[in-house]
Amino acid sequence: MTADAILSTSGLTRDFHSFRAVDGVSLNIRPGSITGLIGPNGAGKTTLFNMIAGALRPSSGQVFLAGAEITGLPPEALFARGLARTFQIPRPFRRMTVLENVMLAPPAQVGETIIGALFRRRALQEEESRLRDKAMAILEFMTLAGLADQPAGKISGGQMKLLELARALMGDPKVILLDEPAAGVNPSLTRILIERIEELNRKGTTFVIVEHDMDFVMRHCDPVIALAEGRIVFEGTANEARVNPLLLDAYLGASA
Amino acid sequence: MIGLISYLAFFATMAGILAIAVLGLNLQWGHTGLFNGGVVAFFGAGAYGTMLLGGPPEPGQFGGFALPYVVALGGGILIAGVVAWIVGLLTLRLRHDYLAIATFGVAVAFENVTRNADWLTGGARGLRGFPRPLEAAIGDTFLYGLFFLGLVLAVLLAVYLGLERLVNSPYGRVLRAIREDEVSARSVGKNPTRLRLESFVIGSMIMGAAGGLYVSFYAFVSPQDLAPILTFQIWAMLIVGGAGNNRGAILGAFLIWGAWTLSGFALSRFAPDAMQLYTGSIQYILIGVVIVGMLMWRPQGLLPERVTKTIYQKGAKKGSVIINKEVI
Ligand SMILES: Nc1ncnc2c1ncn2[C@@H]1O[C@H](COP(=O)(O)OP(=O)(O)O)[C@@H](O)[C@H]1O
Ligand SMILES: [Mg+2]
């Protein structure tokens, strides 16, 4: 781990029985960057995300967030520490409204305990109106405000991806892991998504983005890290990635 | 006339008690997605707990502390909570179908204990209870029936209002998030283990309260009162009424208890003699048919869950009213 990385891993490895999905991955994410993580299907990108975000225990290796070791901490603890993620296949709370999906995210709410919910009505209502304003502002930012009262299960897949990002933003995260945010999303929503990511990034949020769309990665991500069969096979700038023969053969060529 | 009123009061007392238990199940299943297949065990823990604490001492029998009614009932509720807490710690990590099977097993084990632990539960004989609260003071049986109905309805109302407060708050919002998608809820910082356990324990304590009221009404409890069918009846009430909707839960309790009572009457009057032995079984089948039919044709129940319902809307209305005043 290097001192100036906001997020780093060291020798991160995950076995599924005898199959090694992620194999000794050590990486350093520069604060304020938009790092692209590429690699063919099954390369281990999602598994790597899951380990970083605490959803999956590493078989070995370590994870650090802002210098502190977070290996093995559960996802709920990491969200409170400023590490948020979205899912490759969106996971909204389907039978809840879009607004509720977003409002519930901030940790340690007064009304989230039994005592608070039953007896601290005044504090709770104040908090709720504050959260509602914040949630509406974020939904506005993600162009979802018009859908605030819709059940989240009824909106389109692309809107669900925006919703997941909105939900993550409620926790004011320092680092956001996005797993294939543009996959299956129509071009106009993708454009909104990219604009929003770049705007947040300008304000200091660090992103790590798994993406198949090479155009997306080359244009918006720097640096680029490539995984294949669980290992890092390339690390460099987008321009270097573009001309790297290894990537062209193994991955870019295949998808082009 | 008095006879009819007193019968209706009896009917409503039973339905009201069951409605309390259904509200407890609604917190677990309707709002948190916890499949409790052993409702009867928690109802029973409250029932036996209340009896042991409030009943008269008897030779060779544990319990019989003859505590004041409120203390006995509160203790019964607490015992149901402790049982749920232990069961919860052991099973809530097991999800979904595993939890259903494990809680079903707990109910079977509970019934076995009530049948065989004579020193504790009186075995098949059961436990004799204590005088019903304020019965001597009120005297008249007709009036007392109405009084007890009032007591049950008061508890039902209190449980309903408390739960409405809880589930319409951010707390309920988080429970529903866990129900919808646990992985997702954890990714935004929620701790499903704690919340599940809390919901399971509170729901079970509410079932225990129903059990405590039930046995204090009959002043008697035996394993017969805790047949597995009770779990299915309570589930049928929730599914028919509408999981996730507290009013639906109450409606379902009264409807199903009405249907159960009427079908019992009808069968005992009109079924041929040869069939009389089986009327109970026919009712079991009817309950099964109602559950399956409802799940097939109207799985959301008669009063479905409403999608938008947390507190912020009330807050919003209040806020906008104030703003309007300022504008005027
Ligand atoms: N829970 C699991 N059990 C067994 N194998 C898994 C599991 N999750 C992922 N894998 C395997 O690990 C490899 C990497 O998967 P994944 O991380 O999803 O790849 P990517 O996101 O790069 O497409 C794949 O071969 C996949 O089949
Ligand atoms: Mg993946």
Side-chain angles (χ1 to χ4, degrees), chain A residues 91 100 104 112 118 167, chain B residues 165 181 184 186 190 310:
Chain A
R91 310 185 69 134
E100 287 203 330
L104 82 92
E112 245 176 38
L118 291 180
R167 207 163 65 180
Chain B
R165 219 173 213 226
D181 191 327
S184 215
R186 296 186 73 183
K190 309 308 170 194
T310 31

Side-chain angles (χ1 to χ4, degrees), chain A residues 16 19 21 40-47 88:
Chain A
F16 293 113
F19 176 71
N41 267 327
K45 306 178 297 293
T46 297
T47 305
Q88 182 173 343

Side-chain angles (χ1 to χ4, degrees), chain A residues 74-76 79 91 93-97 99-100 103-106 109 111-112 114 117-118 121 124 128 132 167, chain B residues 162 165 169-171 173-174 177 179-181 184-190 198 202 307-308 310-312 316:
Chain A
E76 53 268 30
F79 186 74
R91 310 185 69 134
F93 306 114
R94 291 178 171 273
R95 285 185 289 170
M96 298 167 65
T97 64
L99 180 57
E100 287 203 330
M103 279 182 71
L104 82 92
Q109 298 179 25
E112 245 176 38
I114 296 171
L118 291 180
R121 301 298 280 186
L124 185 157
E128 281 289 278
R132 187 188 63 243
R167 207 163 65 180
Chain B
R165 219 173 213 226
S169 73
Y171 188 81
R173 186 162 69 201
V174 178
R179 176 194 73 185
E180 293 298 297
D181 191 327
S184 215
R186 296 186 73 183
S187 83
V188 287
K190 309 308 170 194
E198 285 178 6
I202 295 170
V307 184
T308 313
T310 31
I311 238 144
Y312 64 83

